[in-house]
């Protein structure tokens, strides 16, 4: 399993540079919701795809929704969003 730190490093290596405030939102949301890394990474990925960039409040809201619905893996997060048509991906 990949950590949020490694995922962010991977994004940077691929040329996707997040601003400091975005990184702050990522860690705030992860700690605020007590989300496991895998779910936080899924929320980052879904946010980037849905928003064509990073929107901190969207990410935190999505992460809260995933945790409230007891989502605990990337695949479960993708299925949840798709099944409920929460995002048009």
């Amino acid at each position: 399993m990949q950590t949020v730190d490694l995922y962010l490093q991977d994004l940077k290596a691929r040329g996707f540079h997040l601003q400091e405030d975005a990184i702050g939102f990522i860690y705030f949301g992860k700690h605020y919701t007590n989300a496991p890394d895998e779910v936080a990474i899924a929320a980052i990925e879904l946010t980037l795809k849905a928003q064509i960039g990073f929107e901190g409040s969207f990410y935190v809201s999505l992460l809260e929704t995933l945790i409230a619905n007891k989502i605990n893996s990337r695949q479960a997060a993708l299925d949840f969003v798709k099944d409920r048509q929460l995002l048009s991906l």
Side-chain angles (χ1 to χ4, degrees), residues 1 10 12 16 19 21 37-38 47 50 55 57-58 80 85:
M1 180 177 83
D10 185 47
K12 187 175 182 179
F16 197 96
Q19 300 295 323
D21 62 331
D37 283 310
E38 188 173 0
T47 298
E55 171 59 45
S57 59
F58 182 90
F80 178 83
Q85 299 177 347

Side-chain angles (χ1 to χ4, degrees), residues 11-87:
L11 285 177
K12 187 175 182 179
R14 293 181 191 193
F16 197 96
H17 300 281
L18 294 170
Q19 300 295 323
E20 287 299 317
D21 62 331
I23 293 170
F25 263 104
I26 288 168
Y27 287 105
F28 167 77
K30 182 180 178 331
H31 293 293
Y32 175 72
T33 61
N34 199 29
D37 283 310
E38 188 173 0
V39 176
I41 291 168
I44 295 166
E45 178 185 345
L46 289 165
T47 298
L48 292 172
K49 288 179 180 178
Q51 298 293 312
I52 324 262
F54 189 83
E55 171 59 45
S57 59
F58 182 90
Y59 161 78
V60 172
S61 178
L62 177 59
L63 194 54
E64 286 177 320
T65 299
L66 295 174
I67 295 302
N69 285 278
K70 300 182 182 359
I71 303 301
N72 57 14
S73 72
R74 178 183 180 276
Q75 190 58 53
L78 297 175
D79 292 343
F80 178 83
V81 167
K82 182 180 176 184
D83 291 347
R84 287 164 182 79
Q85 299 177 347
L86 296 177
L87 304 173

